[in-house]
Amino acid sequence: MLDQLINHTSQDFIPQEIQQLSRTLKNWYHQILAYHHARLSNSITEAMNNLIKRIKRIGYRFTNFTNYHTRCLRYTSKPN
């Protein structure tokens, strides 16, 4: 289906915006197929990075890196 979509949207009579979509789909072809095959994304990693950035904003001017690192680990891991 993705191949058909790319072929249809890359034709000359299609507006330029849709042709740009076709080029984008061609560039991300393997990644799109990999997602639909495995049903996995990097959402967990993005969530962890978001938490760490939030902790960094809250803990601005930490003087001890060990305390900062410990707090990051506590906020990003499951409680025991």
Side-chain angles (χ1 to χ4, degrees), residues 3 8-9 13 37 46 55 58 64 69 80:
D3 289 328
H8 180 70
T9 56
F13 65 89
H37 177 70
E46 292 295 330
I55 294 165
I58 292 169
N64 187 340
H69 186 256
N80 292 335

Side-chain angles (χ1 to χ4, degrees), residues 22-35:
S22 175
R23 289 189 292 272
T24 302
L25 291 174
K26 284 179 189 176
N27 291 338
W28 288 90
Y29 183 81
H30 296 293
Q31 291 85 349
I32 293 169
L33 292 182
Y35 169 76

Side-chain angles (χ1 to χ4, degrees), residues 11-69:
Q11 296 177 9
D12 290 335
F13 65 89
I14 302 292
Q16 288 295 322
E17 293 85 4
I18 305 299
Q19 289 181 11
Q20 178 62 40
L21 172 64
S22 175
R23 289 189 292 272
T24 302
L25 291 174
K26 284 179 189 176
N27 291 338
W28 288 90
Y29 183 81
H30 296 293
Q31 291 85 349
I32 293 169
L33 292 182
Y35 169 76
H36 286 285
H37 177 70
R39 296 286 183 193
L40 295 173
S41 70
N42 67 343
S43 60
I44 296 171
T45 305
E46 292 295 330
M48 293 291 184
N49 286 338
N50 187 21
L51 280 171
I52 290 171
K53 287 179 183 180
R54 189 172 1 150
I55 294 165
K56 186 176 180 181
R57 283 192 301 270
I58 292 169
Y60 183 67
R61 293 188 180 188
F62 266 115
T63 57
N64 187 340
F65 179 77
T66 304
N67 290 343
Y68 172 70
H69 186 256

Side-chain angles (χ1 to χ4, degrees), residues 48 51 71-80:
M48 293 291 184
L51 280 171
R71 185 170 289 195
C72 288
L73 290 176
R74 285 183 55 208
Y75 276 93
T76 58
S77 62
K78 294 180 181 178
N80 292 335

